[in-house]
Amino acid sequence: MNMSSEKVNIRDIILKSKYIVALTGAGISAESGIPIFREKNGLWTKYKPEEIASYEAFKRHPDIVWQWYIMRMKKIKKAKPNKAHHILSKWETRGILKSIITQNVDGLHQGAGSKNVIELHGNIWRVKCPECNSRKFLDKIPRYIPRCKDCGSILRPDVVWFGEQLDPEILATAYNEAKKADIMIIIGTSGIVYPATYIPIISKNEGAKLIEINPNDTALSNYADIIIREKASISLSKLDKLIGI
Ligand code: NAD
Ligand code: ZN
C-alpha cells in the first residue's frame, strides 16, 4: 500500500486509537548493526540454528555455544538503539503506545527508554542455571564459560532456544496485550516463529487493525490492513511526523 495515498487514513486511525501495541522482531535492530537471522548474510548462514541455539547443542558443546553467544554479546554491546527504537519509546511516553512485545533478546528497546517491554524470547544479558534455575543479569561479557555460584553447573543464556517453550506467564501477558490492542504495529519480523506470529492474529480476531512495517513480504502480510514497505527507521519517522505528537 502506498503510504502517501493512505496518509490521512493512517493518521486518523492512529490518533483515534486507544491502545496501540507493537510487535517487534530482529528487523528493528538490523539498522543498529545486529544481523537478522533469515537472510543471505543473516546470523544463521554460518551456523545451523539447531547446532547452536538448542539445549542439546548446549549440553554437547557448551564451549561452542558460549563462544557464539559471546560473539553476539560483543556485537550487541556495540550496538545503539536506532531511530525506530527511540520513536517507539517516545510514543510510550506520550501515551500513544501501550506496550512492546519483542522477539529480540538485545535489550535495545529498554536502551531507548521503553518501559513496558515484554520479552518473549528472553534477554541475552541474563543467564540461568539449568539445574537450580537461578537467574541473574551479567555485568560484563563472560571471558570463560560461566558457572552457577550455588551448584557449579554451567550457566546458559536465558533465551528461548529451538524446541523450548516460552515462559507461560510472559506469553499470557503478551496475549493479554494483544487482546487489548486496537492497533498492532508489526515491525521487522518475518512472522514464521511460533507462537509469536499468533499474536497479531489474536489482535485481528478481536477487531484490531494491523500495520506492518517491513521492507519485505512476510507470513503476516496477508493479514495486514496497512503495509509500509520500508525500513523501520524510515517508516516510523514518517509515521511520527504524520501524527505530529
Ligand atoms: P527474522 O530474522 O526471521 O526476520 C527479520 C525480518 O526483518 C525480515 O522479515 C526482514 O525483511 C525484516 N527487516 C530487515 N531489515 C529491516 C529493517 N531495517 N526494518 C524493518 N524490517 C527489516 O526475525 P524474527 O521474525 O524476529 O525471528 C527471528 C528470531 O531470532 C526471533 O526469535 C528473535 O528472538 C531472534 N533474533 C533476535 C535478534 C535480536 O535480538 N536483535 C537478532 C536476530 C534474531
Ligand atoms: Zn545452579
Side-chain angles (χ1 to χ4, degrees):
M1 192 168 285
N2 182 334
M3 187 155 151
S4 57
S5 65
E6 290 294 316
K7 262 184 187 164
V8 180
N9 200 2
I10 301 179
R11 184 171 190 274
D12 265 16
I13 291 172
I14 292 184
L15 291 179
K16 278 187 193 144
S17 74
K18 300 262 178 300
Y19 210 98
I20 305 185
V21 173
L23 172 70
T24 66
I28 197 170
S29 295
E31 291 168 80
S32 293
I34 302 171
I36 63 169
F37 279 4
R38 291 171 186 79
E39 229 186 18
K40 274 181 235 106
N41 296 316
L43 277 173
W44 295 123
T45 42
K46 291 191 203 109
Y47 309 89
K48 277 200 193 133
E50 56 283 4
E51 280 169 14
I52 300 285
S54 74
Y55 190 65
E56 290 70 37
F58 171 75
K59 273 312 221 193
R60 222 174 315 129
H61 307 290
D63 47 339
I64 295 176
V65 172
W66 264 110
Q67 241 175 33
W68 190 76
Y69 273 95
I70 288 170
M71 184 265 292
R72 282 194 73 195
M73 283 171 165
K74 286 182 178 160
K75 248 197 155 75
I76 290 174
K77 194 164 185 204
K78 275 195 244 146
K80 289 193 184 68
N82 65 56
K83 195 97 205 203
H85 298 103
H86 285 298
I87 290 172
L88 292 184
S89 166
K90 181 179 101 176
W91 287 2
E92 183 185 28
T93 315
R94 306 277 162 95
I96 287 256
L97 182 77
K98 300 300 179 205
S99 60
I100 298 171
I101 303 169
T102 190
Q103 297 167 81
N104 296 343
V105 297
D106 55 32
L108 289 184
H109 286 300
Q110 295 91 329
S114 289
K115 298 278 180 282
N116 197 6
V117 183
I118 301 155
E119 293 180 312
L120 290 177
H121 296 161
N123 189 303
I124 200 167
W125 300 111
R126 211 168 49 217
V127 286
K128 176 168 88 175
C129 175
E131 298 306 323
C132 67
N133 264 323
S134 65
R135 285 181 159 91
K136 67 166 187 183
F137 273 98
L138 293 167
D139 42 21
K140 52 181 185 298
I141 298 174
R143 292 178 56 195
Y144 314 101
I145 296 181
R147 285 187 178 269
C148 176
K149 282 205 176 69
D150 300 321
C151 75
S153 306
I154 295 179
L155 294 170
R156 58 166 284 179
D158 193 9
V159 298
V160 178
W161 279 333
F162 285 94
E164 292 185 323
Q165 301 289 319
L166 274 68
D167 180 319
E169 258 179 55
I170 292 176
L171 194 57
T173 310
Y175 283 168
N176 205 28
E177 287 299 294
K179 283 184 191 145
K180 286 202 250 173
D182 53 11
I183 294 183
M184 177 163 287
I185 311 182
I186 309 158
I187 310 163
T189 176
S190 56
I192 54 175
V193 176
Y194 288 86
T197 191
Y198 282 134
I199 289 169
I201 311 293
I202 293 173
S203 301
K204 180 117 188 159
N205 286 342
E206 299 279 326
K209 292 240 180 304
L210 304 185
I211 302 178
E212 172 170 81
I213 293 178
N214 198 310
N216 302 300
D217 199 38
T218 77
L220 287 165
S221 299
N222 280 340
Y223 300 92
D225 299 282
I226 294 166
I227 296 176
I228 307 173
R229 284 266 168 269
E230 269 179 298
K231 290 183 172 178
S233 64
I234 297 173
S235 311
L236 285 172
S237 299
K238 283 185 182 171
L239 277 183
D240 189 47
K241 239 192 188 152
L242 195 64
I243 61 177
I245 52 150

